Amino acid sequence: MSLEKFSKETTLEMRKKLIGHSCRLFFSEHPMKIVRAKGQYLYDEQGQRYLDCISNVQHVGHCHPAITRAAAAQMDLLNTNTRFLHDHIVHYATRLAETLPDKLRVFYFVNSGSEANDLALRLARQYTQHNDVIVLDHAYHGHLTSLIDISPYKFRKLGAQKEWVHVAPLPDTYRGKYRKGHPDPGQAYADTVKDLIEDVHKKGHKIAAFFVESLPSVGGQIILPEGYCRKVADYVHEAGGVVVADEVQVGFGRVGSCFWGFQLQGEDFCPDIMTMGKPMGNGHPLACVVTTQEIADTFTGNGVEYFNTFGGNPVSCAIGLAVLDVIEEEALRRNASLVGGHLKELLLHLQRKHTIIGDVRGAGLFVGLELVKDQAQLTPATEEAAKLVRRLKEEELILVSTDGPWENVIKFKPPMCFSIEDAELVAEKIDVILLDIGTTSQSKMKET
């Protein structure tokens, strides 16, 4: 079947009529019509090429030929209900298990990060027989009703925090209560969770789970302080709860030095449940929950079958296996370390030049550039961040976006094939635009 090709204006008009208006577009004032992609590049209907710094879903690069071949070959052979035996699902689980601590060995395959986090919540409650959940401020864990309830990023806008949801401070060492100069911010922020647990117990409630993004993304590309998760896990376990690490944004080697973001916290920390999603299928809907045998046995023993029609189907698993192959064969973890480290150094150089750059943080190809109007007060430079994003797109054909509570953090989560040359181009163009909008400190320029 040949589909009619519409003009950009017609496509936009039809979308307004047919698609829910809450399904927003990137760059909504001047939305883009993207018709093809390759590697770290997107192409619009006019053939214009854009450097993509934000598509962490297309983990190993847009339209990677190895992924396309794996999907087509398996689709041509078989795709069926997961109640039939098939080798792919066990091969894939075995490969994933090789990247994880021995403790995490039981897998449940699903279709999205939201499905994974919803299942993790069910597992936690079934195992602990408790109900309450602790989350970090500004966290986002998915779009299902159960996950909106544990996502302050969403429920604060609705003014509807459930009584069983308890919000701990975001461990932000740049603008939070305990900052980089603190002797042990990990312990200090962990103690805020301990205090919260004590308050929950005083109200007669019990903790089922502590949900944490291994590197909070919507919160502003946050790197958790050293030792935080291990210390929180001790407190949560003492309270009879479990720790759920949400790796939907940052798993599969994005941080470079480790395969999973939670591993940045050291070998002495391992979550009880971990969720993964977006990058798993390089754009194909594929996600997963992994947990311990003990927790899985409790879930099995509740008398209610868990079944997911499409989760772990042969095509999805073939794609997942191909993604793992590409990560290994193209040394993409090493690339994330080298390129991400170089990008971070370039941005740190710009920080010494531009007073509007308050903080540069990140790990591998997960990098944040926080803009502030005042270095002492840390007033968010929201308008300037939006202007930088807009001008990078319109003038330099570079796509970035903002995150953080005040949308003043420029985030970089590009495909893992992002190059040294790409990083240098991005830094060069940011420098030019910040100079033009007058954010340079003359005294700092003299120093450099």
Side-chain angles (χ1 to χ4, degrees):
M1 180 178 68
S2 178
L3 297 177
E4 180 180 356
K5 292 184 178 179
F6 300 122
S7 68
K8 176 180 175 180
E9 293 72 23
T10 300
T11 302
L12 180 59
E13 188 60 32
M14 292 180 70
R15 181 181 171 107
K16 288 178 179 178
K17 291 179 180 179
L18 297 168
I19 307 301
H21 290 185
S22 57
C23 301
R24 298 193 302 178
L25 293 163
F26 282 131
F27 312 104
S28 55
E29 291 185 5
H30 301 284
M32 304 170 65
K33 184 173 182 178
I34 299 300
V35 297
R36 66 186 180 94
K38 190 72 173 176
Q40 65 270 52
Y41 299 108
L42 296 168
Y43 297 82
D44 69 12
E45 80 285 2
Q46 301 296 327
Q48 185 65 67
R49 189 182 80 172
Y50 293 84
L51 178 61
D52 182 2
C53 301
I54 54 179
S55 291
N56 63 318
V57 177
Q58 284 73 30
H59 191 61
V60 301
H62 291 277
C63 304
H64 194 290
I67 312 301
T68 303
R69 286 195 299 268
Q74 185 57 48
M75 182 67 78
D76 193 48
L77 184 65
L78 171 73
N79 197 30
T80 189
N81 193 298
T82 51
R83 287 181 189 261
F84 294 109
L85 281 172
H86 195 273
D87 288 343
H88 281 5
I89 192 169
V90 292
H91 279 309
Y92 190 34
T94 300
R95 289 282 298 278
L96 289 174
E98 291 170 353
T99 70
L100 291 161
D102 291 341
K103 173 182 173 180
L104 299 175
R105 278 296 177 270
V106 183
F107 296 85
Y108 298 86
F109 290 101
V110 295
N111 307 295
S112 71
S114 290
E115 267 196 310
N117 281 329
D118 179 76
L119 178 55
L121 180 59
R122 288 180 60 191
L123 285 163
R125 284 175 165 165
Q126 178 64 36
Y127 175 70
T128 64
Q129 292 297 294
H130 299 167
N131 186 67
D132 288 30
V133 175
I134 297 175
V135 293
L136 294 181
D137 206 1
H138 310 299
Y140 175 62
H141 294 291
H143 62 77
L144 301 181
T145 299
S146 61
L147 304 175
I148 296 295
D149 287 345
I150 64 169
S151 298
Y153 168 68
K154 292 292 186 180
F155 71 62
R156 289 200 190 286
K157 296 175 184 179
L158 301 171
Q161 181 174 344
K162 297 293 193 293
E163 64 176 358
W164 52 268
V165 177
H166 312 281
V167 181
L170 181 68
D172 181 351
T173 57
Y174 174 63
R175 63 166 60 247
K177 183 177 181 180
Y178 306 109
R179 301 184 179 180
K180 292 174 182 176
H182 191 280
D184 192 351
Q187 181 69 64
Y189 277 114
D191 285 344
T192 66
V193 178
K194 180 182 180 182
D195 294 341
L196 189 58
I197 291 172
E198 291 175 356
D199 289 341
V200 170
H201 287 173
K202 288 176 183 177
K203 296 175 183 177
H205 293 228
K206 292 184 178 181
I207 299 299
F210 172 72
F211 266 74
V212 59
E213 296 165 89
S214 296
L215 289 85
S217 181
V218 170
Q221 303 291 96
I222 302 298
I223 305 298
L224 299 176
E226 182 180 354
Y228 173 75
C229 286
R230 176 180 55 79
K231 292 161 186 173
V232 168
D234 289 342
Y235 298 143
V236 171
H237 291 156
E238 288 171 9
V242 297
V243 174
V244 180
D246 180 341
E247 293 266 346
V248 171
Q249 292 271 10
V250 298
F252 292 86
R254 176 159 295 278
V255 300
S257 59
C258 308
F259 202 86
W260 304 104
F262 77 81
Q263 292 170 325
L264 292 173
Q265 288 284 302
E267 293 182 0
D268 55 352
F269 170 69
C270 178
D272 305 291
I273 303 170
M274 192 188 83
T275 60
M276 56 189 93
K278 295 181 188 296
M280 273 183 97
N282 210 55
H284 180 84
L286 174 60
C288 185
V289 180
V290 60
T291 190
T292 67
Q293 189 67 57
E294 184 180 8
I295 292 174
D297 286 347
T298 304
F299 194 59
T300 301
N302 70 0
V304 178
E305 176 193 21
Y306 179 76
F307 173 62
N308 191 305
T309 303
F310 299 112
N313 69 75
V315 170
S316 293
C317 288
I319 291 170
L321 285 162
V323 169
L324 294 179
D325 287 341
V326 173
I327 292 171
E328 181 178 342
E329 291 166 5
E330 299 185 6
L332 292 182
R333 275 183 56 195
R334 180 175 180 272
N335 190 66
S337 292
L338 290 175
V339 177
H342 187 57
L343 174 61
K344 190 175 174 182
E345 284 300 319
L346 292 169
L347 296 177
L348 285 168
H349 175 73
L350 294 184
Q351 183 185 26
R352 295 190 287 271
K353 186 176 180 180
H354 300 279
T355 57
I356 196 172
I357 299 178
D359 194 35
V360 177
R361 51 186 178 260
L365 284 171
F366 178 91
V367 178
L369 179 74
E370 180 154 359
L371 303 187
V372 295
K373 294 182 179 180
D374 183 276
Q375 290 279 355
Q377 299 299 318
L378 307 186
T379 309
T382 303
E383 293 179 4
E384 291 83 354
K387 184 181 293 186
L388 177 58
V389 168
R390 184 175 65 253
R391 289 189 59 177
L392 282 170
K393 168 185 172 278
E394 294 176 357
E395 299 170 16
E396 310 298 347
L397 308 179
I398 297 171
L399 304 182
V400 299
S401 60
T402 57
D403 241 329
W406 298 277
E407 294 291 340
N408 68 315
V409 179
I410 308 298
K411 62 179 178 181
F412 298 92
K413 292 185 290 186
M416 295 274 280
C417 53
F418 209 67
S419 70
I420 290 288
E421 293 75 19
D422 296 329
E424 291 177 345
L425 176 66
V426 169
E428 174 191 341
K429 299 306 181 182
I430 289 175
D431 187 24
V432 169
I433 294 171
L434 291 184
L435 281 169
D436 189 51
I437 62 179
T439 67
T440 305
S441 163
Q442 296 300 318
S443 62
K444 286 197 172 187
M445 286 187 70
K446 291 176 182 177
E447 292 172 8
T448 56

